[in-house]
Amino acid sequence: MDDLKYGTRNKRGDWKPNGRIEAVPLWNWPPKLPKILAWLPGYIWPWNAFHMATALIYWFYVVPDVETMKTISWGWALWLYAVNAAAILVFYGIFELRYYIKRAQQTRFKYNHKFPGDAPSDVFWFQSQNLDNFLRSFFITIPLWTVVEVIFLWCFAKGYVPWVGWQDHPVYLAALVLVAPAIHEVHFFFIHRLIHWGPLYRWIHSVHHNSINPSPWSSLSMHPVEGFLYHAVAFWHLVIPSNPIVALFQLHVAGFGAVNGHLGFDKLEVTEDTAINSHAYTHYLHHKYFEVNYGGDGLIPLDRWFGTWHDGTREGDAMMDARFQKKRERMNARA
């Protein structure tokens, strides 16, 4: 595909899409039903549909029976870790293999023209971003993902929280599934803002931000505190009446869905004429500029409300620069 039909490339070879990142039409006033209906299929397919499919596969083929889950044991906890690790190895690995190792579409639609594997750095273990990100994902973050998973499944099995049945409340649970990505955005935004506070950033979040030019393995490369807080979004389903399948879906939106913001490509070419939108640009801008786009795609427009939104345009640059200037002036005034 010709990526210059969809964006521009600067002298360095970095690519950016045309236009701006559009607001989710749910927030337009007055509401425009045709735009909402046009947006809805992309909200469900393919990414959220994939997360629900994996949640159902887990529930029916991976998660132990309720009696087993009433007692926390190493056996089923390690089984869940093995499945989580294998699933991420395959799912993330497909993107890593095709777009970063084989480089099947070279730098077409790639925001940063460089590939992490070509740039050794002392900030990473073994001077390798890929190896550092891989090891942190599989030996720190995915185990913490599993800890969260074990805790909420145990709570449901023990009856410590309401277990809402699909047969009795199908409409309510279906609505909760539709809302789950919004819960993720709100949860992510606030913990993300928290760990961008100076001391917490240096201690915790800088680990993730070492990957200025992210790739699939960067997605779950986190400090242990961040890795736990990030996946703890599933604990919201211990607070609101829910169902373990919906909680699994919530967890998979976080775990499997983390790759979207770190793919590094705007479109993923499937054939010569077909490509899938990655939805990566919003979070890529966060990795590039650090202090913008703390949330997700703007499903809940918290970045707009708090003044940290960047829509990928020159106007977005100007607003960001003005905010940074005011911040510097405040800091100088205190000095």
Side-chain angles (χ1 to χ4, degrees):
M1 298 180 69
D2 183 1
D3 59 357
L4 295 181
K5 291 181 178 179
Y6 302 89
T8 58
R9 184 173 287 106
N10 63 22
K11 293 179 180 179
R12 291 191 300 272
D14 298 339
W15 185 90
K16 65 175 294 185
N18 292 327
R20 65 180 68 243
I21 302 171
E22 295 293 338
V24 173
L26 292 172
W27 300 97
N28 292 339
W29 189 261
K32 297 179 180 178
L33 187 59
K35 284 193 173 182
I36 294 174
L37 293 176
W39 163 81
L40 195 57
Y43 175 64
I44 297 172
W45 182 265
W47 303 108
N48 283 326
F50 172 81
H51 302 322
M52 177 49 73
T54 59
L56 290 171
I57 290 170
Y58 266 60
W59 182 250
F60 289 109
Y61 299 104
V62 176
V63 173
D65 60 73
V66 174
E67 285 302 315
T68 299
M69 293 191 297
K70 287 182 178 179
T71 303
I72 295 178
S73 69
W74 284 107
W76 66 275
L78 289 174
W79 161 245
L80 288 177
Y81 167 72
V83 175
N84 292 336
I88 288 297
L89 181 65
V90 172
F91 183 54
Y92 285 21
I94 288 171
F95 300 113
E96 181 73 24
L97 178 63
R98 177 172 173 79
Y99 300 102
Y100 282 83
I101 296 175
K102 291 187 174 181
R103 303 186 184 182
Q105 67 181 58
Q106 300 176 6
T107 59
R108 294 189 296 278
F109 300 105
K110 192 172 188 307
Y111 307 125
N112 189 319
H113 73 283
K114 296 181 180 179
F115 286 86
D118 297 338
S121 173
D122 290 335
V123 303
F124 300 111
W125 290 345
F126 309 106
Q127 296 187 321
S128 168
Q129 177 175 324
N130 289 338
L131 187 55
D132 174 284
N133 291 176
F134 182 91
L135 293 173
R136 289 183 186 276
S137 296
F138 283 84
F139 295 103
I140 295 176
T141 308
I142 296 176
L144 291 168
W145 162 350
T146 308
V147 167
V148 170
E149 189 175 29
V150 167
I151 291 173
F152 76 70
L153 288 172
W154 174 71
C155 288
F156 275 111
K158 293 287 286 186
Y160 292 148
V161 295
W163 183 323
V164 181
W166 283 92
Q167 290 184 339
D168 298 326
H169 301 281
V171 176
Y172 168 75
L173 289 175
L176 191 55
V177 167
L178 289 175
V179 171
I183 294 173
H184 171 79
E185 287 211 3
V186 174
H187 178 88
F188 179 56
F189 178 87
F190 285 107
I191 66 165
H192 200 179
R193 284 301 301 265
L194 175 66
I195 58 179
H196 264 267
W197 175 61
L200 293 183
Y201 179 84
R202 291 189 293 273
W203 177 44
I204 297 172
H205 196 44
S206 60
V207 170
H208 184 69
H209 266 290
N210 284 335
S211 302
I212 297 172
N213 179 19
S215 67
W217 296 133
S218 306
S219 309
L220 296 179
S221 176
M222 301 174 181
H223 184 281
V225 172
E226 180 177 4
F228 180 79
L229 290 175
Y230 177 72
H231 288 98
V233 64
F235 288 157
W236 284 105
H237 295 270
L238 303 181
V239 178
I240 56 179
S242 189
N243 178 284
I245 295 177
V246 183
L248 280 169
F249 172 67
Q250 187 78 71
L251 188 64
H252 288 194
V253 168
F256 290 102
V259 77
N260 288 88
H262 302 87
L263 287 169
F265 290 84
D266 197 68
K267 296 181 185 294
L268 304 175
E269 295 177 1
V270 180
T271 68
E272 291 185 2
D273 303 313
T274 307
I276 298 174
N277 289 327
S278 69
H279 298 282
Y281 193 47
T282 306
H283 193 66
Y284 169 77
L285 290 173
H286 176 76
H287 274 263
K288 183 177 181 179
Y289 296 124
F290 289 78
E291 296 184 30
V292 299
N293 298 357
Y294 292 96
D297 286 340
L299 179 59
I300 305 297
L302 289 163
D303 279 294
R304 296 177 188 273
W305 295 342
F306 283 89
T308 54
W309 178 247
H310 195 308
D311 62 3
T313 64
R314 290 182 179 179
E315 291 81 3
D317 287 340
M319 293 175 62
M320 176 185 68
D321 292 340
R323 183 162 55 87
F324 289 172
Q325 179 61 33
K326 289 182 180 179
K327 181 178 179 180
R328 286 191 292 269
E329 290 172 357
R330 289 194 302 268
M331 294 176 65
N332 291 336
R334 294 172 188 168

